[in-house]
Amino acid sequence: MTEKHSTQFERGTDGPKVIVVGVDGSDTSLRAAAYASGMARRQHALLAVVYVQPVLAAGAALGAPVAEATDEIAEDLVRQVREASEQVRGVFDFRWEFHTFRGDPYNGMVKAADDLKADAVVVGASEQAGHRFVGSVAVRLVKAGRWPVTVMP
């Protein structure tokens, strides 16, 4: 008796080639970035660091310089990532890029993962208590079931 095997082919890799990590400056997101950096280094993958700039219409309506504040956060995150990568340069080299998207964090991460053709997504667990009831970005990404998602505590 002969067995029939599927002729469906894999993408041609033994591991992720693009790892997307969401950062927002929180402790859990910075731990996620550190973990994803190690993954990228070990897998020889591209690390795409993503910051989703929130659109806060209510703050803008009150005259708050919301766009400037989120731009400053993005610039600070880039600085932190650059400093961290410079500290390990020569010891741990890996490729990384920084991307910003505007919108709500969940849809921004989905767009980033889709646009960058992510093989894996890494995010930090939410530090907000209300997310136990509503659902965090991490939980929503896992439930989407489109990529392997690692959630860092």
Side-chain angles (χ1 to χ4, degrees):
M1 180 178 211
T2 61
E3 291 182 32
K4 290 188 176 184
H5 294 284
S6 172
T7 57
Q8 185 177 13
F9 294 98
E10 293 181 19
R11 284 176 78 178
T13 63
D14 287 332
K17 289 299 172 196
V18 177
I19 299 167
V20 170
V21 61
V23 295
D24 62 6
S26 67
D27 288 343
T28 61
S29 79
L30 296 177
R31 279 194 293 273
Y35 181 84
S37 298
M39 276 179 66
R41 180 185 54 79
R42 287 186 299 277
Q43 297 290 334
H44 305 287
L46 170 67
L47 177 65
V49 179
V50 174
Y51 170 59
V52 180
Q53 295 181 330
V55 177
L56 304 173
L62 296 172
V66 175
E68 289 176 21
T70 59
D71 286 343
E72 286 177 21
I73 293 169
E75 289 170 15
D76 187 53
L77 289 169
V78 170
R79 183 189 53 74
Q80 288 180 44
V81 171
R82 281 203 175 109
E83 286 175 2
S85 67
E86 286 299 320
Q87 289 174 358
V88 297
R89 185 167 303 285
V91 178
F92 300 119
D93 270 338
F94 59 93
R95 297 174 303 130
W96 67 276
E97 303 172 346
F98 186 83
H99 300 269
T100 39
F101 293 84
R102 289 193 187 270
D104 72 275
Y106 171 75
N107 287 317
M109 287 299 295
V110 167
K111 179 167 177 37
D114 284 345
D115 289 358
L116 299 167
K117 296 180 177 36
D119 296 303
V121 176
V122 181
V123 292
S126 175
E127 295 179 337
Q128 296 180 9
H131 285 169
R132 289 185 205 130
F133 304 108
V134 179
S136 67
V137 172
V139 169
R140 292 173 66 194
L141 289 169
V142 170
K143 285 183 177 181
R146 294 166 60 180
W147 322 269
V149 179
T150 302
V151 182
M152 296 304 297

